Amino acid sequence: MTTENSPAPTFRYAAVTFDCPDPAELATFYGEALGLPVAFSTDDFVLLGGQDGAAGLGFNRLADYRRPTWPDPAQEKQAHIDLGADDLDAAEARLIALGATKPDVQPAPDRWRVLLDPAGHPFCVSTVA
């Protein structure tokens, strides 16, 4: 708690963490896709990057994890990450080779591609980000 005479704390963005059934599998996918090293790992949690003040990506095992069903709202996506790439077709091919899948619904395929990571989280790749 701050008082009138004490300064407010300074915050920095540290990481975003995704729930998943297999943290190692999801960390491998994103680590390969983004070139991020493993900074910390246990059986139930893996953190990529997050070194030298850089933000990281975390993956947390959730025993009753339910895969998102996007675009069907039965099980909402919970989180979404956007990746930037110079070439959408090449980026899509690389991410699919790493284990992503491509849903049939593509809202604006000329501007961005929606893919699903191995745990079913939707994410976008665009030339804008």
Side-chain angles (χ1 to χ4, degrees):
M1 181 159 111
T2 61
T3 65
E4 289 181 29
N5 296 330
S6 64
T10 301
F11 296 98
R12 70 183 186 293
Y13 170 68
V16 65
T17 297
F18 288 90
D19 290 338
C20 60
D22 185 343
E25 175 188 44
L26 209 51
T28 298
F29 172 78
Y30 281 105
E32 288 288 326
L34 299 171
L36 294 173
V38 173
F40 177 80
S41 179
T42 68
D43 289 343
D44 294 321
F45 181 79
V46 178
L47 177 67
L48 297 177
Q51 300 167 334
D52 301 321
L57 280 177
F59 307 97
N60 181 66
R61 182 181 313 277
L62 186 63
D64 62 348
Y65 175 78
R66 287 178 280 165
R67 185 181 182 93
T69 56
W70 185 91
D72 178 351
Q75 180 64 40
E76 290 292 338
K77 60 186 174 182
Q78 301 115 12
H80 182 94
I81 190 170
D82 292 289
L83 304 178
D86 295 331
D87 181 323
L88 283 177
D89 293 330
E92 177 184 308
R94 171 71 175 144
L95 292 163
I96 288 172
L98 291 173
T101 56
K102 184 177 179 181
D104 292 335
V105 175
Q106 293 294 317
D110 293 337
R111 295 187 60 208
W112 72 83
R113 309 285 165 79
V114 179
L115 299 174
L116 306 175
D117 70 21
H121 301 110
F123 67 97
C124 289
V125 181
S126 77
T127 56
V128 178

